[in-house]
Amino acid sequence: MTVQYDADLKLFVNGAWRAGEDLAPVFNPATGATVAEVPLATAADLDEALAAADRGFQLWRASDVEARAAVLHKAAELIRERTERIATLLTLEQGKPIAEARGEVAGSAQLFDYYAEEGKRAYGRVLIRPVGQRSIVIKQPVGPVASFTPWNFPVYLMAKKLAAALAAGCSVIAKPPEETPGCTSAIMEALADAGLPAGVAQLVFGVPDMVSRHLIASPVIRKVSFTGSVPVGRHLMKLAADGLKRVTMELGGHAPVLIFDDCDLERTLDMVVPQKFRNAGQVCVSPTRFYVQQGIYDRFVKTFAERTAVWQTGSGLDAGTKMGPLANRRRPDAIEALVEDAVARGAKLAAGGERFGEGYFYKPTLLADVPLEARIMNEEPFGPVAVAAPFATEEEAIEQANRLPYGLAAFAFTENGRRANRLGDLIEAGMVGLNTFAISGADTPFGGIKDSGFGSEGGPEGLDSYMVVKAIHQA
């Protein structure tokens, strides 16, 4: 199926689209072919973006909350109207199946609608004081924000940061991934067409280290919001520390899944397999470490392997595709190295385990009996690989779930209500799904603990992350 790449890639600064001096190729991961070139911002471009964001903040923070809401609601409407174009660009640039791409676009529109209304609920407090005195607590926008987003959910994650920051009254400089410039530009186009004033939001691409250093060093930027890997998160935190800038860090995970012998195993597998291979496993909360109680372990592995072997993989634009390619040429190399290491250390290759096709494809894979010393048991694979190991007791399962320094998401399947309550309390993660993988929504906080970062996006907590608290006392 041949589909035209439909995007004129430019930077967006102070309400205007502009070309860049230097260009970088954009690849279709299903074929490895170049489909476009993305402009890279210079230091001068970034300085203009910073100046525009500074001016835009003064304008936007003073605007009426209903006016802000109207822009965000209109952007949501335009995103929905343009779903097919945005989703197609997303699939061409990132590789995920078109049905998943449409779902991501729909979720992005929902974020703008949610924060359009949540911005009206940034309430403060009136404190009890003697007659004639007043003490109030108010929330105000933190200031211009630098947001950095990854390539796995480029539309949704950019929308999550933009919607909350704009609803709070902040201006934003958004730096999406260079791998997916067309679909992310389409979100900025929707905001501009919705009437967002010039300077309130900018869109820049560029050499990541140069852009992050330049923006974070500027006194204009008051807040840094980043979604990505733990090493890069640590690096950006160090940069932000020099200016004592507030940060939100949504970093990597290595989600454990505890499967107890009292669960409905077939129903559990009906949820587990699609969730594991969603977006080719390139999901920060992807279920990865499957700890299965001994009595059902062999049946779990056998059935999971059978389903994995027939999971349809191909171009994301093909109607029957359930899993597309990995997003870039680096990922198959990384996955292959992890799988080879696990097998060399004694793991059993139950399904998959090889590349195929002309693009960045790797077969859905299941590794069984994986020893703790295997790299994949300790490093987030961020790909279509599930690893399984048996456990005997609940205490052992919880110990394994909490063994790593990550704490983003965790899941458990059991029909024992008391056990479910204990697991919810004792598993160390920012989000826990009990008999479900539905842990992300516009109205719920999303974030981790330990090395998986801190701060939340989504829900009222996501709005609060872009606001500061001020106490005003009058006698």
Side-chain angles (χ1 to χ4, degrees):
M1 181 178 181
T2 302
V3 176
Q4 185 69 29
Y5 183 87
D6 177 25
D8 181 17
L9 302 179
K10 294 181 179 179
L11 310 175
F12 186 71
V13 177
N14 198 27
W17 296 93
R18 61 167 69 180
E21 296 178 8
D22 296 323
L23 301 172
V26 179
F27 300 100
N28 179 345
T31 63
T34 301
V35 293
E37 291 183 314
V38 58
L40 306 179
T42 63
D45 292 322
L46 297 178
D47 286 338
E48 289 191 44
L50 287 162
D54 197 19
R55 295 190 301 270
F57 174 57
Q58 303 307 323
L59 170 68
W60 191 241
R61 71 176 301 183
S63 63
D64 181 76
V65 68
E66 293 289 350
R68 293 182 209 158
V71 171
L72 297 183
H73 278 312
K74 182 61 177 178
E77 178 185 334
L78 292 173
I79 289 168
R80 290 189 180 98
E81 290 176 359
R82 301 169 184 180
T83 292
E84 204 59 27
R85 174 177 177 265
I86 301 172
T88 300
L89 287 169
L90 175 53
T91 293
L92 286 171
E93 294 174 335
Q94 199 272 346
K96 66 183 59 180
I98 189 68
E100 290 185 20
R102 293 183 186 118
E104 182 173 340
V105 175
S108 302
Q110 185 182 29
L111 285 167
F112 283 105
D113 273 336
Y114 174 82
Y115 279 110
E117 296 303 313
E118 192 62 29
K120 303 174 186 178
R121 294 187 283 270
Y123 304 133
R125 290 183 289 146
V126 178
L127 308 181
I128 301 299
R129 291 294 181 266
V131 173
Q133 298 180 23
R134 292 288 182 270
S135 289
I136 63 172
V137 180
I138 64 173
K139 296 179 181 180
Q140 295 182 309
V142 63
V145 175
S147 78
F148 303 92
T149 46
W151 43 258
N152 60 328
F153 289 92
V155 173
Y156 185 78
L157 294 175
M158 181 174 140
K160 183 176 275 191
K161 297 182 190 299
L162 282 171
L166 294 173
C170 298
S171 59
V172 186
I173 301 177
K175 193 274 185 204
E178 287 66 43
E179 290 92 340
T180 57
C183 58
T184 47
S185 294
I187 300 302
M188 191 61 73
E189 289 171 4
L191 280 167
D193 292 346
L196 190 71
V200 178
Q202 341 296 321
L203 180 77
V204 297
F205 302 98
V207 177
D209 188 56
M210 187 277 280
V211 173
S212 59
R213 287 181 184 276
H214 197 100
L215 293 182
I216 296 173
S218 169
V220 169
I221 296 300
R222 303 281 186 87
K223 164 74 186 280
V224 176
S225 183
F226 171 72
T227 300
S229 71
V230 174
V232 175
R234 286 198 177 102
H235 171 65
L236 296 186
M237 282 186 66
K238 291 175 183 177
L239 296 178
D242 286 338
L244 293 177
K245 300 179 191 292
R246 293 177 57 169
V247 297
T248 296
M249 292 281 152
E250 195 266 279
L251 308 179
H254 201 333
V257 188
L258 310 186
I259 299 178
F260 291 85
D261 59 11
D262 63 352
C263 77
D264 182 334
L265 187 56
E266 288 300 317
R267 179 175 177 273
T268 298
L269 284 162
D270 287 343
M271 291 186 278
V272 161
V273 177
Q275 195 68 25
K276 172 63 251 183
F277 300 124
R278 180 172 72 105
N279 199 23
Q282 299 165 128
V283 184
C284 56
V285 296
S286 179
T288 300
R289 293 182 291 142
F290 291 87
Y291 298 109
V292 185
Q293 202 154 20
Q294 289 174 346
I296 60 171
Y297 178 75
D298 289 341
R299 185 155 62 100
F300 173 86
V301 170
K302 179 177 182 295
T303 308
F304 198 139
E306 290 170 351
R307 297 186 183 200
T308 298
V310 297
W311 203 251
Q312 189 164 340
T313 306
S315 168
L317 294 175
D318 294 343
T321 293
K322 293 182 177 179
M323 191 186 92
L326 297 171
N328 56 63
R329 65 180 64 191
R330 304 182 300 275
R331 298 312 306 150
D333 290 341
I335 297 301
E336 188 172 59
L338 289 172
V339 171
E340 289 177 351
D341 171 80
V343 172
R345 294 176 186 271
K348 173 187 175 183
L349 183 61
E354 60 182 331
R355 305 183 192 214
F356 72 99
E358 59 181 346
Y360 313 140
F361 289 98
Y362 196 90
K363 286 188 176 181
T365 298
L366 173 64
L367 293 169
D369 306 337
V370 185
L372 286 182
E373 62 269 20
R375 285 177 55 203
I376 201 167
M377 276 298 226
N378 301 282
E379 302 173 23
E380 181 183 25
F382 217 64
V385 184
V387 296
F391 73 85
T393 67
E394 179 182 321
E395 292 73 20
E396 179 188 348
I398 293 172
E399 180 183 358
Q400 290 303 315
N402 294 339
R403 181 178 60 86
L404 297 182
Y406 306 109
L408 187 59
F411 308 94
F413 292 83
T414 177
E415 293 301 312
N416 185 316
R418 290 184 183 276
R419 174 185 286 146
N421 288 340
R422 289 193 299 271
L423 295 172
D425 286 341
L426 295 176
I427 291 176
E428 297 172 354
M431 299 163 288
V432 178
L434 301 172
N435 297 319
T436 183
F437 289 108
I439 61 171
S440 176
D443 61 351
T444 183
F446 189 102
I449 61 173
K450 302 195 291 189
D451 280 7
S452 292
F454 52 84
S456 295
E457 295 186 306
E461 294 84 359
L463 184 71
D464 285 345
S465 73
Y466 292 99
M467 306 193 86
V468 292
V469 175
K470 178 186 288 184
I472 302 173
H473 305 280
Q474 181 178 356

